[in-house]
Amino acid sequence: MATIEILNQSLANQIAAGEVVERPASVVKELVENAIDAGSTQIKVEIEEAGLQKIVITDNGAGIAADDVERAFERHATSKLYTTDELFRIRTLGFRGEALPSIASVSELTIETAQTGKKGKRLYLEGGEIVENTSAPARRGSTIKVEQLFYNTPARLKHIRSLKTEISHVTNYMNRFALANPSISFEFYNEGNLLLKSVGNGDVRQAIAGVYGVNVARKMRAIEAENFDFKVTGYTSLPELTRANNSYITLIVNGRHIRNFALTRAITAGYGSTLMIGRFPISVINIEMDPLLLDVNVHPTKQQIRISSEDELGQLIKEVIHETMHQEVRIPGSAAEETRSAPQPPTEKTEQMNFEFRTEQRPKTSFAFPEEKPKDLQNEPPQPPLPEYDPAATEYVAESENDLEEAETSSHLTHRVDEEDSALALAETAERKNYNEEATGQFPELEYIGQLHGTYLLTQNAEGLFFIDQHAAQERIKYEYYKEQLADTGVSMQELLVPIVLEYPSDEVLIISDHLDTLADAGVSLEPFGQNSFIVREHPTWIIPGQEQDTIEEMIDFFLEQKNLSVGMFREATAIMMSCKRSIKANHRLSDEEAVALIEQLPQCENPYNCPHGRPVVVKMTTRDLEKMFKRIQDSH
């Protein structure tokens, strides 16, 4: 065995850099966090060649005392932690004292720093060794320039991806910093081009507008909740505004951006069936808690932390999002309205056309669908009415919209509009606000016109034309019916005149036998009957007569497919599965009576706006949209 030696300081720093400095974005992250900890209100970041050639970070923070600058580049040198007790009360982003020496060991680094009214210090280091040590101007704050990153560790460069990929990583960090620190003004440049500029006035919604654009900010809703241990604030998007992955969910704990699968899952769970499967909201969730409840010292990058009472926190987040989304009127507008990314030029004032649709009044009826096509709704009880809706709780005032316009023009990521466009945007916002204030929050009263392609029901009211997806509508009605019945632990059972015998292969029998209690809680009462069989002697009364065996087999088959489900998850998933299978499909012609019955049952749902999979049930085309299409209102050119 070779002789044991102590690593020299330079090699030890390079090894530490392997944990802390993975790519240029890691350098930006560590240095910006130091600038934030220094109390900066303005932070400027500049990079060249994705940060491999140069990274310059300038702040107006407290700076480092001239006598401490050299010590700052020694391992584990820190001004943020002195005792063991403080390790469990971390309130700063950095504390280990590894960042500066690790970065300096794999680059050429220059630092100029000074405290208010005191002389400054300038150091130049190569590979962690001090080459120059001179005085610097007495400008409060610090400027750190990192050049030739990984110049002395060429193996590290092999793992660097394309420059575009590395720039995207840096941009992602800068966006998170802007969202987590709305009171700090950030500027971010790549090759001299401005990529991000945040206002820094403390308004989270303006920070969102600066990062994602003003149209996204308009569709964000504020949330706020707290209990004894946690306080949760922030914004999350309406169900109509989603992304294909969860990278647009920003979690901030005591000012630190983190990744946490359980909390991310709680956010999406809060939307319930209003969120389409495979889609994720845009969220900025800020969590405040006692530092004693979390451990940030479990990973070198400090992005993964350990939270005490994590389940309790997740439940708090889930409940506040559910409550917020439950209050929203969620009928999407026309495609033209939804995809409009910037205000349109002002138009000439035209007379508002007030024409009427002349259609035959359809009879109101309590018709129930026939047994086979479509599936029966006759035995399903009416659903509770919608809760009252307070438009003042969800709409923005015009002044806030003007603030968003300011934030929008400060970022290259958003559309830049002139004064006339901004004025029109405010006018259109006020128009939408007035319409929403007239709404009661309940499902609109609609008049049936006809059916399109055996799939969509056409309806109207004074606001315009409404399209209803007939499958999604009946799926929502049946889902809420099945969910209510499955959730009733005291559900009444009806004895079968002729018991049903179900046979399964031995591997499935083992699974079913281990979960008889779970199935029984959902109303599937099975008794072992021979080697590979079960007998069913009774069934819930809510099962439609004549469909007992099919329904029970569907529930068992679904359970076998999903396997380890909790009782609650099984009930929820079963309700979704059965509602989908037993609802009318597309290309199915309905009589006028059937269509009217479906339209009348829809408002009785707790959520008539989305099917259980999150797809919209109703889409609206306003009278104004129609007038634009027919050039009754013309845009100026």
Side-chain angles (χ1 to χ4, degrees):
M1 183 175 179
T3 303
I4 296 175
E5 300 285 349
I6 303 298
L7 291 174
N8 64 63
Q9 189 72 11
S10 177
L11 182 56
N13 285 340
Q14 288 188 6
I15 294 173
E19 296 181 345
V20 177
V21 187
E22 300 174 332
R23 57 188 354 132
S26 304
V27 175
V28 173
K29 172 186 178 295
E30 296 293 340
L31 296 182
V32 171
E33 285 183 345
N34 283 345
I36 294 172
D37 285 341
S40 304
T41 59
Q42 296 177 342
I43 300 175
K44 180 180 179 182
V45 177
E46 303 166 273
I47 64 173
E48 295 181 8
E49 291 190 19
L52 292 171
Q53 182 69 28
K54 182 188 294 185
I55 298 172
V56 181
I57 296 180
T58 306
D59 67 64
N60 65 345
I64 304 175
D67 296 338
D68 288 340
V69 178
E70 293 181 43
R71 192 178 299 115
F73 287 89
E74 297 180 11
R75 286 198 71 194
H76 308 306
T78 178
S79 62
K80 305 168 186 178
L81 185 66
Y82 299 105
T83 67
T84 302
D85 290 341
E86 290 177 309
L87 183 61
F88 301 101
R89 295 179 179 273
I90 298 296
R91 297 184 181 275
T92 54
L93 300 179
F95 55 88
R96 287 195 180 101
E98 293 178 316
L100 287 178
S102 297
I103 295 169
S105 69
V106 292
S107 68
E108 298 174 0
L109 186 147
T110 304
I111 180 173
E112 290 187 3
T113 183
Q115 295 183 326
T116 302
K118 298 181 180 180
K119 65 178 182 179
K121 173 75 76 169
R122 179 184 183 276
L123 291 185
Y124 172 67
L125 302 90
E126 291 182 359
E129 301 295 329
I130 297 176
V131 177
E132 296 180 14
N133 185 342
T134 59
S135 60
R139 183 196 68 82
R140 173 188 166 91
S142 302
T143 297
I144 298 180
K145 180 166 63 176
V146 178
E147 299 175 288
Q148 305 300 325
L149 186 61
F150 303 135
Y151 81 99
N152 56 351
T153 53
R156 190 75 56 81
L157 290 173
K158 295 180 180 179
H159 299 284
I160 296 296
R161 299 187 180 182
S162 68
L163 294 184
K164 288 185 178 179
T165 299
E166 298 304 321
I167 292 171
S168 72
H169 283 290
V170 178
T171 304
N172 182 55
Y173 273 124
M174 293 305 302
N175 288 343
R176 307 290 185 182
F177 281 129
L179 295 172
N181 302 273
S183 296
I184 299 177
S185 174
F186 290 93
E187 291 184 31
F188 172 44
Y189 296 85
N190 173 52
E191 307 290 350
N193 298 315
L194 179 65
L195 298 188
L196 171 70
K197 180 177 175 61
S198 65
V199 179
N201 65 351
D203 189 333
V204 177
R205 203 155 55 93
Q206 279 204 14
I208 293 172
V211 172
Y212 295 128
V214 69
N215 291 300
V216 168
R218 283 175 178 150
K219 292 189 176 183
M220 303 290 282
R221 295 296 180 261
I223 62 170
E224 183 173 359
E226 64 180 307
N227 58 20
F228 184 77
D229 292 324
F230 307 104
K231 181 178 181 181
V232 177
T233 58
Y235 288 85
T236 194
S237 64
L238 292 171
E240 64 200 65
L241 178 63
T242 60
R243 295 294 184 265
N245 57 64
N246 62 12
S247 62
Y248 288 77
I249 294 177
T250 300
L251 288 168
I252 305 157
V253 176
N254 288 1
R256 182 189 307 276
H257 167 243
I258 67 161
R259 298 190 182 102
N260 186 290
F261 175 75
L263 299 184
T264 298
R265 184 173 55 189
I267 292 171
T268 56
Y271 284 82
S273 61
T274 66
L275 200 65
M276 287 186 63
I277 294 175
R279 305 294 295 184
F280 299 87
I282 300 174
S283 303
V284 179
I285 309 298
N286 184 52
I287 303 164
E288 298 177 33
M289 68 179 76
D290 190 318
L292 284 172
L293 295 177
L294 65 130
D295 183 0
V296 299
N297 197 30
V298 297
H299 192 273
T301 65
K302 301 183 287 293
Q303 285 198 317
Q304 299 174 16
I305 65 176
R306 186 177 293 114
I307 302 174
S308 299
S309 304
E310 185 175 79
D311 291 343
E312 180 184 347
L313 174 58
Q315 185 64 26
L316 182 65
I317 293 173
K318 177 181 175 181
E319 289 175 356
V320 69
I321 291 179
H322 175 76
E323 181 181 351
T324 302
M325 294 299 115
H326 196 68
Q327 298 173 357
E328 289 293 329
V329 176
R330 295 184 298 271
I331 300 181
S334 65
E337 180 182 352
E338 291 298 315
T339 58
R340 185 168 53 222
S341 58
Q344 302 299 315
T347 61
E348 297 181 5
K349 184 176 180 180
T350 59
E351 181 181 356
Q352 181 70 22
M353 304 301 294
N354 186 22
F355 56 87
E356 296 181 356
F357 292 99
R358 299 187 179 275
T359 59
E360 180 184 355
Q361 291 292 328
R362 306 292 182 179
K364 291 185 179 283
T365 175
S366 57
F367 171 83
F369 289 98
E371 180 71 20
E372 291 301 325
K373 51 176 191 175
K375 300 293 185 179
D376 181 47
L377 286 176
Q378 188 172 8
N379 296 322
E380 300 179 9
Q383 302 296 324
L386 285 168
E388 293 186 2
Y389 172 66
D390 179 11
T394 56
E395 292 301 322
Y396 300 138
V397 296
E399 289 80 6
S400 296
E401 294 294 346
N402 189 48
D403 291 341
L404 288 183
E405 297 292 349
E406 289 183 20
E408 179 184 48
T409 57
S410 69
S411 171
H412 86 293
L413 298 175
T414 58
H415 296 273
R416 301 180 183 275
V417 296
D418 57 25
E419 292 181 359
E420 291 183 338
D421 291 343
S422 298
L424 181 62
L426 291 178
E428 292 183 341
T429 299
E431 178 183 350
R432 291 194 298 271
K433 182 175 184 293
N434 290 335
Y435 166 70
N436 285 324
E437 286 179 341
E438 294 173 3
T440 63
Q442 295 182 341
F443 195 79
E445 184 175 346
L446 301 174
E447 176 191 353
Y448 176 61
I449 301 175
Q451 189 182 30
L452 177 65
H453 299 319
T455 302
Y456 304 103
L457 305 183
L458 276 60
T459 65
Q460 67 173 359
N461 68 10
E463 296 299 331
L465 185 64
F466 293 74
F467 300 85
I468 297 177
D469 184 324
Q470 65 189 34
H471 172 73
Q474 195 181 63
E475 194 175 22
R476 164 53 63 175
I477 294 168
K478 284 183 173 289
Y479 161 73
E480 294 196 5
Y481 168 71
Y482 287 130
K483 183 180 179 181
E484 179 181 350
Q485 298 300 325
L486 288 166
D488 186 1
T489 56
V491 62
S492 58
M493 304 292 288
Q494 180 175 329
E495 190 171 345
L496 287 161
L497 294 177
V498 180
I500 300 171
V501 177
L502 305 175
E503 295 183 353
Y504 294 92
S506 56
D507 59 332
E508 293 183 349
V509 168
L510 292 173
I511 298 173
I512 295 172
S513 299
D514 286 341
H515 297 88
L516 291 177
D517 291 342
T518 302
L519 290 166
D521 285 337
V524 180
S525 181
L526 302 177
E527 299 177 18
F529 188 72
Q531 185 174 355
N532 289 340
S533 303
F534 297 92
I535 190 169
V536 181
R537 302 185 187 276
E538 58 182 3
H539 66 88
T541 55
W542 58 263
I543 294 181
I544 299 171
Q547 299 183 7
E548 296 88 353
Q549 182 166 343
D550 288 345
T551 301
I552 291 171
E553 285 181 342
E554 285 178 2
M555 294 175 69
I556 295 174
D557 289 345
F558 183 77
F559 183 83
L560 289 171
E561 180 183 351
Q562 302 297 322
K563 293 187 174 63
N564 296 325
L565 290 174
S566 66
V567 174
M569 293 172 61
F570 177 55
R571 290 172 177 167
E572 171 77 9
T574 301
I576 293 175
M577 178 270 295
M578 291 197 302
S579 66
C580 184
K581 285 189 174 183
R582 297 177 180 275
S583 295
I584 52 176
K585 302 298 188 285
N587 300 315
H588 181 94
R589 297 289 176 179
L590 300 181
S591 67
D592 288 353
E593 291 78 11
E594 290 173 332
V596 169
L598 183 61
I599 294 168
E600 289 180 350
Q601 290 175 359
L602 191 57
Q604 300 174 38
C605 293
E606 182 180 359
N607 170 19
Y609 306 105
N610 303 90
C611 80
H613 304 94
R615 292 194 302 108
V617 170
V618 188
V619 173
K620 174 184 65 177
M621 178 175 287
T622 66
T623 303
R624 182 179 177 84
D625 291 330
L626 291 170
E627 289 173 343
K628 285 184 177 180
M629 292 172 62
F630 285 101
K631 304 301 182 182
R632 290 179 178 270
I633 296 179
Q634 297 186 12
D635 296 334
S636 61
H637 299 286

